[in-house]
């Protein structure tokens, strides 16, 4: 049995944020399309963190978190 820890969920979230930011630099429509498919509270957190990271200069490079 595999347990998904909070650390694993946070790592996944940061990777997802970076991917959305990378899509945004390539094709903003692709990023917006993806975000439109994410649901409810998870979407709110994803959008908020994408906005914050973008404002801080993160453009989706591997391992970048500001």
């Amino acid at each position: 049995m595999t347990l998904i820890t909070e650390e694993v969920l946070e790592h996944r979230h940061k990777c997802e944020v970076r991917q959305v930011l990378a899509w945004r630099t390539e094709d903003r429509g692709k990023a917006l399309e993806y975000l439109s498919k994410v649901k409810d509270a998870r979407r709110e957190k994803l959008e908020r963190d994408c906005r914050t990271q973008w404002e801080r200069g993160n453009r989706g490079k591997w391992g970048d978190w500001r």
Side-chain angles (χ1 to χ4, degrees), residues 30-41:
K30 186 174 184 177
L32 293 174
E33 179 182 350
Y34 178 80
L35 287 170
S36 74
K37 295 176 183 177
V38 179
K39 300 199 189 235
D40 304 324

Side-chain angles (χ1 to χ4, degrees), residues 4 9-10 20 23-24 27-28 33 37 40-45 47 49 51 54 59 61 64:
I4 299 177
L9 291 173
E10 184 64 20
V20 172
W23 284 333
R24 182 176 176 184
D27 176 2
R28 190 166 186 260
E33 179 182 350
K37 295 176 183 177
D40 304 324
R42 191 170 143 253
R43 178 179 178 171
E44 291 174 19
K45 183 176 186 329
E47 287 178 335
D49 287 347
R51 186 173 28 262
W54 186 265
R59 298 299 181 261
K61 300 291 183 196
D64 189 4

Side-chain angles (χ1 to χ4, degrees), residues 12 19-20 25 31 45:
R12 180 194 173 282
Q19 182 60 61
V20 172
T25 62
K45 183 176 186 329

